[in-house]
């Protein structure tokens, strides 16, 4: 079905009583990349033939090796998901006897929960206005006697100032861990992600760049850390019935690894497809006042995975109104990391923070449809919808109020 904007009056909008633009097949912001079935089956046959399903099987080992090569790191430890990758790495790296984790607030919605699972306390810091990423200067002002860890997170578009964070870590002695889920493919000054800080954490959830249904991994160059992480991932066992420390079960299984390997085989092609979608968004949003597309820094390697726009002051509606209009059309755009973490209800200990830059930015950005299932025709149609909304903004406002 080729989507078309069959709307001439504001009343034709789904939010004002008309039919939805996408009936039955919503378009979303989730990557949902689908690698070649034959590649997936080929990798699956390996564990099937070997009668190995989990516990360091051949396909997980192959995946770990491929990922370590991809990131240029010595070690890769695969996990059941990104959440437990982060819990493992935070626990392993946090300085003993100290409790605070310095981290941004404008970030992944569950990141503070992860810190709480480690029995540590989030201390939220400001982001840089231009990059939306954790600001090393702001982070420095949050570091004190009780700081256990510096948790840098890459924003959705481009990377945070990892080199600035590395300098801060070196000058203060606070270990640096990176959540690099959004920057799997990226480089910073030509250096691949994966090798910054003490370790980096990634996710292979179906919505991410590499789809393992669910999954995650940690990269590091530190052999002791890698050993400890691998051990803690599997109940703390080292060898048979030899429990060295308190562990969890965060192992990745073979079939997830098979899917992820098929995704890695397709990765370069995926980036080509992502780039084509991004170029289409660039063309279609060009000249639309009030909607600013966040540009990928093409002097670095980038995945072009997720499309983020800012609604600037000359956009006639609020972001909440705009999202409501789009969502009713089954265009499932989403607010960018909103509300920020410090403004959410938290049932665990955290350091209260006042973050005016974060508060202001948190109301301006949204994710646009992207990923495997979104076609160029979809992008053309959604851009046209935005133009329609802009043209009829006054009447739409009245209609929404009524
Ligand atoms: C998705 C995500 C995670 C968590 O990964 P899961 O595999 O879903 O547990 C962590 N950090 C960021 C930035 C994410 O986007």
């Amino acid at each position: 079905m080729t989507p078309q904007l069959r709307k001439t009056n504001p009343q034709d909008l789904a939010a004002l009583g008309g039919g939805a633009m996408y009936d039955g097949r919503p378009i979303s912001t989730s990557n949902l990349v689908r690698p070649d079935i034959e590649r997936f089956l080929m990798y699956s046959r390996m564990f099937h033939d070997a009668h190995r399903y989990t516990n360091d099987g051949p396909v997980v080992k192959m995946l770990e090796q491929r990922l370590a090569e991809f990131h240029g790191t010595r070690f890769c430890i695969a996990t059941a998901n990104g959440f437990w990758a982060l819990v493992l790495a935070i626990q392993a790296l946090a300085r003993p006897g100290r409790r605070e984790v310095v981290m941004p607030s404008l970030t992944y919605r569950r990141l503070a929960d992860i810190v709480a699972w480690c029995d540590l306390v989030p201390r939220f810091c400001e982001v840089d206005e231009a990059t939306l990423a954790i600001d090393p200067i702001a982070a420095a002002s949050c570091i004190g006697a009780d700081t256990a860890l510096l948790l840098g997170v890459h924003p959705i578009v481009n990377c945070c100032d990892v080199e600035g964070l590395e300098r801060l870590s070196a000058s203060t002695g606070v270990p640096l861990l990176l959540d690099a889920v959004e920057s799997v493919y990226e480089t910073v000054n030509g250096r691949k992600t994966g090798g910054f800080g003490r370790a980096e954490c990634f996710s292979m959830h179906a919505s991410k760049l590499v789809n393992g249904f669910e999954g995650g991994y940690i990269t590091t160059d530190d052999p002791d850390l890698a050993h400890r992480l691998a051990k803690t991932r599997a109940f703390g066992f080292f060898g048979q019935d030899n429990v060295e420390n308190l562990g969890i079960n965060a192992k990745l299984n073979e079939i997830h690894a098979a899917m992820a390997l098929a995704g890695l085989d397709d990765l370069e092609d995926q980036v080509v497809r992502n780039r084509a979608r991004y170029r289409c968004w660039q063309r279609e949003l060009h000249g639309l006042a009030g909607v600013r597309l966040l540009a990928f820094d093409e002097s670095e390697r980038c995945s072009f995975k997720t499309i983020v726009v800012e609604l600037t002051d000359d956009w006639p509606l609020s972001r909440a109104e705009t999202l409501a209009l789009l969502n009713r059309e089954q265009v499932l755009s989403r607010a960018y990391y909103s509300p920020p973490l410090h403004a959410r209800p938290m049932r665990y200990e955290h350091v209260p923070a006042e973050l005016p830059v974060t508060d202001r930015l948190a109301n301006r950005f949204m994710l646009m449809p992207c990923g495997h299932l979104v076609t160029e025709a979809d992008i053309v149609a959604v851009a046209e919808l935005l133009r329609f909304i802009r043209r009829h903004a006054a009447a739409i406002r009245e209609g929404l109020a009524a």
Side-chain angles (χ1 to χ4, degrees):
M1 181 189 74
T2 307
Q4 262 175 356
L5 189 71
R6 292 197 194 80
K7 297 185 194 294
T8 43
N9 307 303
Q11 293 76 15
D12 298 335
L13 288 167
L16 300 181
M21 210 165 109
Y22 288 89
D23 208 4
R25 183 187 70 102
I27 54 170
S28 84
T29 60
S30 210
N31 204 31
L32 302 178
V33 66
R34 187 175 67 176
D36 180 48
I37 183 76
E38 296 306 327
R39 305 295 297 178
F40 172 53
L41 293 174
M42 181 194 85
Y43 290 115
S44 298
R45 211 156 268 130
M46 291 179 185
F47 71 75
H48 191 266
D49 288 349
H51 283 241
R52 293 289 301 275
Y53 310 110
T54 186
N55 288 17
D56 258 339
V59 186
V60 165
K61 280 202 172 120
M62 181 185 285
L63 175 67
E64 288 179 331
Q65 198 177 340
R66 276 280 291 278
L67 287 168
E69 274 163 26
F70 179 79
H71 290 286
T73 57
R74 286 183 68 192
F75 304 99
C76 169
I77 297 94
T79 55
N81 51 50
F83 189 104
W84 288 113
L86 280 157
V87 170
L88 285 171
I90 291 170
Q91 259 179 355
L93 290 173
R95 294 201 289 182
R98 315 197 192 202
R99 297 210 60 215
E100 289 180 7
V101 175
V102 175
M103 60 188 285
S105 170
L106 189 69
T107 191
Y108 174 60
R109 58 186 67 75
R110 300 266 67 94
L111 201 61
D113 301 6
I114 294 174
V115 171
W117 266 101
C118 301
D119 200 23
L120 295 169
V121 179
R123 178 186 274 270
F124 301 110
C125 76
E126 267 310 8
V127 290
D128 180 291
E129 180 98 62
T131 63
L132 308 184
I134 179 171
D135 175 6
I137 295 171
S141 72
C142 292
I143 287 180
D146 205 22
T147 309
L149 185 72
L150 177 56
L151 178 55
V153 192
H154 292 297
I156 293 182
V157 175
N158 301 324
C159 293
C160 68
D161 178 6
V162 265
E163 293 177 340
L165 293 176
E166 281 189 330
R167 283 193 293 275
L168 178 60
S169 169
S171 67
T172 57
V174 176
L176 171 64
L177 173 67
L178 290 151
D179 175 334
V181 170
E182 291 292 354
S183 292
V184 179
Y185 190 80
E186 279 41 23
T187 57
V188 179
N189 291 326
R191 255 175 84 191
K192 289 181 197 166
T193 59
F196 290 96
R198 295 282 306 280
E200 300 204 33
C201 293
F202 298 88
S203 166
M204 298 185 293
H205 182 261
S207 61
K208 316 288 174 163
L209 191 72
V210 178
N211 174 5
F213 309 116
E214 293 266 5
Y217 61 96
I218 308 163
T219 54
T220 182
D221 287 321
D222 176 342
D224 294 336
L225 179 63
H227 172 79
R228 175 161 177 206
L229 291 169
K231 188 162 48 105
T232 314
R233 167 184 66 176
F235 302 107
F237 281 121
F238 187 65
Q240 205 172 5
D241 293 334
N242 179 16
V243 178
E244 287 190 358
N245 63 324
L246 185 65
I248 57 175
N249 179 1
K251 299 189 299 293
L252 188 72
N253 66 53
E254 291 286 288
I255 197 158
H256 287 207
M259 182 69 164
L261 278 164
L264 281 177
D265 289 345
D266 171 57
L267 188 53
E268 295 304 326
D269 290 341
Q270 185 199 153
V271 172
V272 170
R273 300 191 299 270
N274 292 350
R275 188 194 294 116
R277 269 188 294 267
Y278 172 66
R279 291 278 178 263
C280 187
W281 275 114
Q282 280 181 313
R283 279 194 307 275
E284 294 302 319
L285 293 179
H286 184 78
L288 174 54
V291 180
R292 182 176 75 90
L293 177 66
L294 261 61
F296 287 93
D297 175 2
E298 298 192 36
S299 69
E300 302 282 359
R301 217 164 76 142
C302 28
S303 70
F304 303 97
K305 175 175 143 298
T306 309
I307 303 296
V308 180
V309 298
E310 179 182 14
L311 296 180
T312 57
D313 292 337
D314 47 352
W315 181 252
L317 297 171
S318 71
R319 187 188 59 186
E321 290 167 327
T322 310
L323 280 174
L325 289 168
L326 294 176
N327 289 175
R328 287 294 294 274
E329 301 295 342
Q330 299 293 302
V331 174
L332 304 183
S333 283
R334 291 205 326 205
Y336 182 97
Y337 294 146
S338 181
L341 302 185
H342 75 284
R344 286 171 180 265
M346 273 172 280
R347 282 191 216 87
Y348 41 77
E349 199 184 334
H350 59 279
V351 182
E354 277 185 36
L355 304 171
V357 176
T358 295
D359 287 335
R360 184 153 34 81
L361 295 174
N363 288 316
R364 297 179 71 87
F365 296 87
M366 58 184 196
L367 274 56
M368 299 308 288
C370 56
H372 198 76
L373 298 169
V374 172
T375 64
E376 299 212 356
D378 291 326
I379 296 167
V380 171
V382 174
E384 209 183 330
L385 175 63
L386 287 173
R387 286 205 171 72
F388 182 85
I389 290 171
R390 180 172 183 101
R391 215 160 40 239
H392 297 285
I396 291 170
R397 266 235 154 96
E398 267 174 42
L400 288 175

